[in-house]
Amino acid sequence: MGGDRGVGVTVPAASRILARRSDLELVLVGDSDRIEPLLSRVPAGNRGKLRVLHTDTAVAEDDRPGSVLRSARESSMFLAADMVKSGDAQAMVSAGNSGALLMIGRHLLKTIPGIHKPAMVATIPGASKQSFLLDVGANPECDAQHLFEFAVMGSVLAESLNRAPARVGLLNIGAEHYKGTEAVREAAEKLERCPAIDYVGFIEANEIYHGQADVVVCDGFVGNVTIKASEGVANVIRNVLYHKAGPAYFNRISRFFSASIINSLTMQVNPERFNGACLLGLQGNVVKSHGNASVLGFCHAILEAANEIDNQVPRLIANKVESIMATA
């Protein structure tokens, strides 16, 4: 029910994903009076893989996170998270109130032993391959231990998806060892002493997309600003390609060739393709979609949740944390 357009995005996205992933079953948790009219557009062959859990209560975007545990236990967000806790669902996806989602997730699913705070991780595009940035908003203030734990969790996610050892860097204002906040410098020392993490050093903001690290770690304030600024730049590039470079290409070379280039470039930087921030560190799979995501963007958030299920990310994180603690 969350996000800027609610069921107008989530229901069509669910239908589109079922056409792509026949192995999935989806539960739409929310107001059936608003959901049911949209289900008539779902192909008959997929209708049996989609069911509705009714509640007419929803967490609003301006609800204070601290109040949801008292006043929103019948909300769609709370019920969806409770389905993950009970095992009735293997993952949940929400485009709603980020703070409320974090609060409900921690309350119902608890954090993995050895992890103090869950972190939101976002996928970021690169010239050669994608990488991961965390935290992107769950924890505006972090100490060195929190950043170290984010590095551990991010490396597990990257390795599970890329099937290769993950290189981890800390986002900083310079590459020199004396630069950055005390928390960042202390986290660097912890990572240098941890043989289970392939730590590559400090990464400056202009290097995030160069592929020097598979995982870039920062606090939630810095990460949120970084990812939103990046999305803004990506949208500017797309507009320039379509409205400036596009007509020139069409006049100089064939329409098909120019269109292919433009489509390829815009797909490369399209933030919708990277929608879906995993909430790592919980004993369950939770994915936060951008509130203004389109149907395409919400589809990618659902696929991100499916990837977490397929790769059993919480279990892998728990195993790695336990291994590191045993050798510390």
Side-chain angles (χ1 to χ4, degrees):
M1 302 304 296
D4 295 350
R5 287 169 284 177
V7 296
V9 164
T10 55
V11 177
S15 176
R16 187 180 298 186
I17 286 300
L18 287 176
R20 179 173 173 179
R21 287 282 301 261
S22 61
D23 59 319
L24 296 182
E25 295 181 2
L26 303 180
V27 182
L28 301 175
V29 186
D31 189 345
S32 60
D33 289 340
R34 296 174 59 188
I35 296 171
E36 291 288 351
L38 299 175
L39 296 182
S40 61
R41 305 173 192 172
V42 178
N46 292 330
R47 187 63 181 86
K49 299 175 182 177
L50 193 63
R51 66 184 176 94
V52 178
L53 176 61
H54 171 71
T55 177
D56 56 10
T57 303
V59 175
E61 193 59 41
D62 58 354
D63 283 349
R64 295 179 63 86
S67 68
V68 297
L69 298 182
R70 299 188 301 272
S71 61
R73 291 179 176 270
E74 296 302 317
S75 69
S76 54
M77 186 181 289
F78 195 99
L79 294 179
D82 197 45
M83 289 184 68
V84 178
K85 177 185 177 182
S86 67
D88 291 333
Q90 293 172 283
M92 71 167 288
V93 183
S94 173
N97 185 315
S98 298
L101 181 63
L102 178 64
M103 185 73 68
I104 290 171
R106 292 190 69 173
H107 173 72
L108 289 175
L109 302 177
K110 312 302 182 185
T111 55
I112 293 168
I115 297 296
H116 293 85
K117 291 184 175 183
M120 284 188 182
V121 55
T123 305
I124 54 178
S128 57
K129 65 176 181 178
Q130 66 186 23
S131 55
F132 301 93
L133 178 69
L134 73 161
D135 180 28
V136 293
N139 306 286
E141 297 181 1
C142 299
D143 62 24
Q145 180 61 30
H146 298 144
L147 295 176
F148 175 79
E149 292 170 7
F150 296 169
V152 173
M153 295 190 293
S155 69
V156 169
L157 178 65
E159 289 168 2
S160 69
L161 296 178
N162 297 334
R163 308 301 180 190
R167 298 164 298 159
V168 178
L170 284 171
L171 188 59
N172 202 355
I173 58 174
E176 295 83 359
H177 68 89
Y178 57 84
K179 287 192 173 180
T181 64
E182 182 178 355
V184 170
R185 296 195 306 271
E186 289 183 6
E189 294 175 0
K190 286 177 175 288
L191 289 169
E192 287 169 350
R193 296 195 301 265
C194 181
I197 303 293
D198 182 8
Y199 176 60
V200 299
F202 294 143
I203 302 292
E204 295 187 67
N206 61 324
E207 299 172 327
I208 290 177
Y209 303 95
H210 293 176
Q212 293 177 247
D214 302 299
V215 177
V216 180
V217 175
C218 58
D219 66 53
F221 183 90
V222 171
N224 191 268
V225 170
T226 298
I227 201 70
K228 287 180 178 177
S230 300
E231 291 168 356
V233 171
N235 285 326
V236 168
I237 293 173
R238 294 176 68 201
N239 289 336
V240 168
L241 287 171
Y242 274 118
H243 299 116
K244 304 293 183 182
Y249 272 127
F250 276 78
N251 290 333
R252 290 196 302 268
I253 57 179
S254 72
R255 179 177 297 271
F256 174 79
F257 184 60
S258 61
S260 297
I261 291 175
I262 293 171
N263 288 338
S264 176
L265 288 172
T266 54
M267 185 60 70
Q268 178 82 3
V269 299
N270 184 359
E272 295 282 11
R273 289 183 59 233
F274 303 97
N275 182 50
C278 306
L279 196 51
L280 295 183
L282 297 176
Q283 298 183 60
N285 298 307
V286 177
V287 172
K288 172 66 174 71
S289 167
H290 218 309
N292 65 359
S294 66
V295 172
L296 173 63
F298 201 81
C299 283
H300 281 284
I302 298 173
L303 290 176
E304 191 65 44
N307 284 335
E308 283 207 39
I309 295 170
D310 293 341
N311 291 284
Q312 301 181 22
V313 172
R315 180 181 62 80
L316 294 177
I317 291 174
N319 291 344
K320 189 157 189 174
V321 170
E322 184 179 5
S323 174
I324 291 173
M325 292 174 62
T327 57

